[in-house]
């Protein structure tokens, strides 16, 4: 199997990065007209900066207001707007659903795409895939694109003014990356591009994990102050770039499959992707019979930043065995990334791992040396 590493063509990050958006696009050899797909809050926050940055490069652009859900209908509506504007590049600005929609529109029209996340809530912005959910909010499929984004531009002054919960959720998504990447690399599983992992991707995934542990808490402070600090710069890079490269070029394993299983429980729908992934990771560590030291390190980090560690934390307090069976069946469907684990996975094993994760989370919380910090 060939090793494959993939990445966006360019990644730009820093306070007021939006002011350079026009130049960054121009420097890549891309030109207008541009279609900006954006949610209402991104439009409110960024429209002045867009007017200024695109004036300096003389780029025409139109803004398409995102309706709220990444559905096939919304993708088609955006594609029509892009055609009408004769767009040569599609720019997504906002949260995950906006960026997913922008990537889908660009892919449908074979146009270059620029992602400008306004929250650091997941590692999707650098990747060449979108997650599609059905109308009921259940995980449905990964939609894989030919190319990674041409540019990912993250304005950390914007992130510093975003709510804390999405940033912490992004930490949950990034927390699993190293553990899932390691499983895939060690056991020869395919990454998201169908190739083998590289040493590069694996070491980026490890740096991602170390950065979370070192900077997670201090990054939250930056959001309380609404001002970027050095810890936020490193943490945003970990959530967005390191985790994105790590998962896509090394692969996913049990944590994300269990996340997908958890979406079958209606109680979890109010919880963000990374929050469910964080609990899925705890279950993965149980499945793998990881050492207490590893489990404690992950639990201590999760508790310190406010990531879920129990069933109750993800909206399924005291789940009955029918519900756990549904979650486990969904998590172990043929083709799921849980089968990248080196042991034969059965729904029964997943149920045991979920219960063990919940018990470990409860026990950890009851130990006097830690506190579960609210945010
Ligand atoms: Zn994820």
């Amino acid at each position: 199997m060939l090793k494959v590493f993939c990445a966006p063509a360019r990644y730009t990050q820093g306070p007021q990065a939006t002011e350079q958006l026009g130049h960054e696009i121009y420097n890549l050899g891309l030109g207008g007209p541009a279609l900006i797909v954006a949610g209402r809050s991104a439009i409110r926050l960024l429209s002045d900066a867009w007017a200024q940055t695109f004036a300096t490069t003389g780029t025409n652009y139109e803004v398409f207001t995102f309706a709220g859900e990444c559905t096939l209908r919304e993708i088609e509506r955006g594609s029509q707007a892009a055609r009408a504007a004769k767009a040569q590049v599609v720019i997504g600005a906002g949260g995950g659903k906006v960026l997913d929609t922008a990537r889908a529109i660009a892919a449908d029209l074979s146009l270059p795409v620029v992602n400008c996340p306004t929250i650091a809530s997941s590692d999707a912005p650098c990747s060449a895939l979108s997650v599609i959910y059905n109308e009921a909010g259940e995980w449905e499929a990964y939609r894989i694109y030919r190319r990674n984004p041409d540019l990912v531009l993250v304005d950390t002054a914007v992130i510093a003014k975003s709510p804390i919960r999405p940033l912490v959720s992004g930490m949950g998504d990034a927390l699993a990356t190293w553990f899932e990447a390691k499983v895939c690399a060690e056991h020869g599983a395919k990454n998201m591009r169908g190739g083998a992992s590289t040493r590069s991707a694996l070491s980026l995934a490890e740096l991602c994990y170390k950065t979370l542990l070192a900077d997670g808490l201090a990054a939250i402070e930056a959001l309380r102050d609404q001002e970027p600090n050095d810890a936020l710069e490193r943490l945003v890079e970990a959530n967005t770039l390191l985790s994105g490269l790590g998962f896509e070029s090394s692969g996913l394993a049990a944590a994300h499959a269990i996340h997908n299983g958890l979406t079958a429980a209606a109680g979890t729908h109010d919880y963000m992707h990374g929050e469910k992934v964080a609990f899925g990771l705890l279950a993965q560590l149980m499945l793998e019979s990881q050492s207490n030291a590893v489990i404690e390190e992950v639990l201590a980090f999760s508790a310190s930043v406010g990531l879920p560690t129990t069933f109750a934390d993800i909206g399924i307090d005291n789940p009955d065995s029918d519900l756990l069976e549904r979650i486990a069946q969904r998590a172990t469907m043929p083709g799921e990334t849980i089968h990248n684990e080196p042991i034969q996975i059965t729904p029964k094993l997943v149920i045991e791992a979920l219960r063990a994760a919940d018990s470990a989370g409860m026990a950890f919380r009851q130990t006097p040396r830690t506190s579960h910090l609210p945010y």
Side-chain angles (χ1 to χ4, degrees), residues 121-124 131 142 172-174 176-177 180 243 247 252 256 259 273-274 277:
S121 61
S122 88
D123 55 20
V131 182
Y142 293 112
D173 203 18
T177 301
E180 297 188 274
S243 184
F247 101 82
L252 296 174
H256 270 77
H259 159 278
H273 172 79
V277 170

Side-chain angles (χ1 to χ4, degrees), residues 338-360:
I338 202 165
H339 303 296
N340 290 340
E341 297 286 338
I343 51 169
Q344 186 71 38
I345 300 287
T346 60
K348 183 168 170 285
L349 277 181
V350 173
I351 292 172
E352 283 170 14
L354 285 165
R355 288 209 166 105
D358 177 62
S359 302

Side-chain angles (χ1 to χ4, degrees), residues 118-345:
T118 54
I119 50 175
S121 61
S122 88
D123 55 20
C126 289
S127 75
L129 60 92
S130 294
V131 182
I132 305 293
Y133 294 89
N134 64 19
E135 300 294 333
E138 297 169 4
W139 178 87
E140 196 161 273
Y142 293 112
R143 186 168 170 184
I144 310 273
Y145 305 122
R146 286 185 173 173
R147 294 163 55 103
N148 288 69
D150 294 76
L151 169 66
V152 176
L153 181 137
V154 192
D155 187 333
T156 43
V158 171
I159 304 286
K161 291 190 170 59
S162 68
I164 291 172
R165 187 178 172 189
L167 184 83
V168 171
S169 176
M171 294 187 210
D173 203 18
L175 187 61
T177 301
W178 164 233
F179 295 97
E180 297 188 274
K182 213 165 29 160
V183 166
C184 293
E186 283 172 3
H187 304 286
K190 286 180 182 168
N191 63 24
M192 305 309 280
R193 296 283 122 198
S197 182
T198 51
R199 286 164 57 83
S200 308
L202 200 58
S203 70
L204 294 173
E206 186 175 17
L207 180 61
C208 177
Y209 181 62
K210 287 179 175 167
T211 307
L212 293 179
L213 298 190
D215 293 313
L217 262 184
I220 293 174
E221 286 309 309
L223 269 61
R224 290 212 171 92
D225 298 340
Q226 302 212 328
E227 282 292 333
N229 60 21
D230 291 346
L232 182 70
E233 289 293 334
R234 292 188 291 267
L235 192 279
V236 166
E237 184 185 329
N239 277 15
T240 313
L241 182 64
L242 294 173
S243 184
L245 299 176
F247 101 82
E248 196 173 19
S249 288
S250 280
L252 296 174
H256 270 77
I258 290 170
H259 159 278
N260 296 342
L262 288 169
T263 68
T268 69
H269 290 183
D270 290 338
Y271 293 83
M272 299 185 71
H273 172 79
E275 293 173 332
K276 283 174 266 195
V277 170
F279 188 72
L281 172 63
L282 275 183
Q284 173 177 331
L285 300 179
M286 298 299 164
L287 264 183
E288 295 169 348
S289 306
Q290 290 276 1
S291 71
N292 281 342
V294 169
I295 292 166
E296 292 247 326
E297 187 169 76
V298 170
L299 276 171
F301 174 75
S302 294
S304 74
V305 296
L307 279 169
T309 57
T310 65
F311 283 138
D313 288 348
I314 48 166
I316 45 169
D317 206 356
N318 293 320
D320 60 27
S321 46
D322 279 0
L323 182 61
L324 289 177
E325 182 68 30
R326 269 215 326 276
I327 293 167
Q329 288 291 346
R330 174 61 75 96
T332 55
M333 272 164 46
E336 255 301 352
T337 55
I338 202 165
H339 303 296
N340 290 340
E341 297 286 338
I343 51 169
Q344 186 71 38
I345 300 287

Side-chain angles (χ1 to χ4, degrees), residues 18 21 36 38 42-43 46-55 61 63 93:
T18 310
L21 179 60
I36 303 179
I43 293 171
L46 296 172
S47 51
D48 288 349
W50 292 331
Q52 183 208 13
T53 188
F54 289 123
Y61 68 96
V63 177

